């Protein structure tokens, strides 16, 4: 059975108010491995001075830049496969060439960000399209983020090398969720949902075997504020 990446739906063209900031394309990579206490992920603890997700625990990633539009080291068929996985998302297109190019741009950004922020040079075939979340329309800074799942080779050493975070390290998924529930650290809604899913799946092999039906998650205006209010009032109740 195919597993959905979360509740959501495609946007309705023309329904967005004129003053809503555009959601910039972004890519984020969930680096996953099996640990003694279940699945582990490589995460970054962002510094409190950032203008987006300040103080949050996040996966490596960043926005799609102009440099990601060409010069790819991966074959076109990889981009076409990813385009099929993203067929419900904003980068989808009726023209196969355009859809493949859009998917290639986002994949190139994901590969670049992981190399820049974690020192890992991944094989493009290691990145699996996993989820798509869009920042609510009431936020001043918005991203249309494409999440990938990747299992680095055992000998590959991810490391901390970004000024946007004060530390980067492997952490047990269960431990992250327990720390968030106690209020010891903060997660953005997509990170929380994706970590909960990985914990349910149990191990890296099971996660890779799951069929994905990626449906864009587009929270309504006010959802982000309500989320953090609930976590502050009763963090362990979620």
């Amino acid at each position: 059975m195919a597993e959905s990446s979360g509740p959501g739906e495609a946007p309705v063209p023309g329904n967005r108010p004129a003053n809503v900031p555009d959601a910039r394309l972004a890519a984020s990579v969930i680096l996953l491995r099996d640990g003694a206490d279940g699945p582990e992920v490589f995460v970054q603890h962002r510094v409190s001075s950032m203008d987006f997700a300040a103080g949050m625990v996040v996966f490596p990633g960043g926005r799609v830049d102009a440099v990601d539009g060409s010069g790819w080291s991966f074959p076109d068929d990889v981009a076409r496969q990813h385009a099929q996985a993203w067929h419900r998302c904003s980068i989808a297109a009726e023209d196969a060439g355009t859809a493949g190019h859009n998917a290639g741009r986002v994949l190139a950004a994901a590969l670049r960000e992981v190399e820049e922020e974690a020192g890992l040079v991944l094989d493009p075939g290691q990145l699996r399209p996993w989820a798509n979340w869009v920042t609510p329309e009431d936020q001043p800074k918005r991203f249309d983020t494409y999440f990938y799942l990747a299992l680095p080779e055992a000998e590959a050493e991810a490391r901390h090398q970004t000024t946007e975070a004060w530390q980067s390290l492997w952490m047990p998924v269960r431990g992250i969720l327990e720390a968030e529930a106690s209020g010891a650290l903060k997660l953005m809604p997509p990170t929380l949902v994706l970590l909960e899913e990985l914990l349910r799946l149990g191990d890296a092999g099971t996660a890779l075997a799951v069929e994905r039906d990626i449906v864009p998650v587009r929270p309504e205006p006010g959802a982000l504020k309500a989320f953090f209010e609930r976590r502050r009032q009763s963090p362990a109740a979620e």
Side-chain angles (χ1 to χ4, degrees):
M1 177 181 295
E3 182 163 328
S4 172
S5 63
E9 59 182 15
V12 178
N15 280 3
R16 190 159 62 95
N19 62 342
V20 173
D22 291 334
R24 296 202 58 174
L25 284 180
S28 186
V29 182
I30 309 168
L31 298 171
L32 178 68
R33 72 182 186 186
D34 291 323
D37 188 31
E40 298 179 348
V41 290
F42 188 78
V43 291
Q44 301 170 333
H45 294 246
R46 285 171 67 85
V47 296
S48 58
S49 59
M50 299 300 296
D51 61 358
F52 185 83
M56 300 288 173
V57 173
V58 302
F59 306 119
R63 67 188 184 188
V64 177
D65 289 332
V67 68
D68 303 311
S70 62
W72 307 332
S73 61
F74 48 86
D76 290 342
D77 64 339
V78 173
R80 286 193 292 267
Q81 291 169 7
H82 283 210
Q84 293 174 1
W86 303 124
H87 75 280
R88 297 177 183 266
C89 306
S90 68
I91 62 172
E94 291 185 6
D95 176 69
T98 301
H101 178 77
N102 291 344
R105 289 177 59 217
V106 180
L107 174 58
L111 293 166
R112 175 180 54 77
E113 289 288 343
V114 167
E115 183 174 2
E116 291 176 355
E117 297 189 346
L120 288 180
V121 178
L122 297 177
D123 184 320
Q126 291 179 275
L127 273 68
R128 181 176 179 190
W130 195 254
N132 174 216
W133 282 68
V134 184
T135 310
E137 293 183 353
D138 61 339
Q139 295 301 303
K141 197 166 188 176
R142 303 180 63 232
F143 292 96
D144 182 1
T145 305
Y146 289 75
F147 291 89
Y148 297 84
L149 185 70
L151 277 61
E153 301 294 338
E155 63 273 14
E157 281 294 327
R159 58 184 181 269
H160 173 65
Q161 58 176 45
T162 173
T163 58
E164 295 180 356
W166 61 271
Q167 72 169 349
S168 307
L169 72 168
W170 287 98
M171 294 184 68
V173 172
R174 187 184 305 277
I176 297 173
L177 292 173
E178 289 175 350
E180 192 277 339
S182 70
L185 56 77
K186 295 180 181 180
L187 302 174
M188 296 291 284
T191 313
L192 176 66
V193 171
L194 295 173
L195 289 176
E196 289 176 336
E197 179 184 25
L198 290 174
L199 187 62
R200 289 195 303 271
L201 291 172
D203 59 70
T206 301
L208 282 182
V210 171
E211 293 183 33
R212 302 293 288 178
D213 179 19
I214 300 174
V215 180
V217 182
R218 301 176 179 275
E220 295 292 328
L224 194 59
K225 179 180 178 181
F227 171 82
F228 287 116
E229 286 179 348
R230 289 197 304 271
R231 306 311 282 185
R232 285 195 299 269
Q233 293 168 1
S234 182
E238 289 289 319

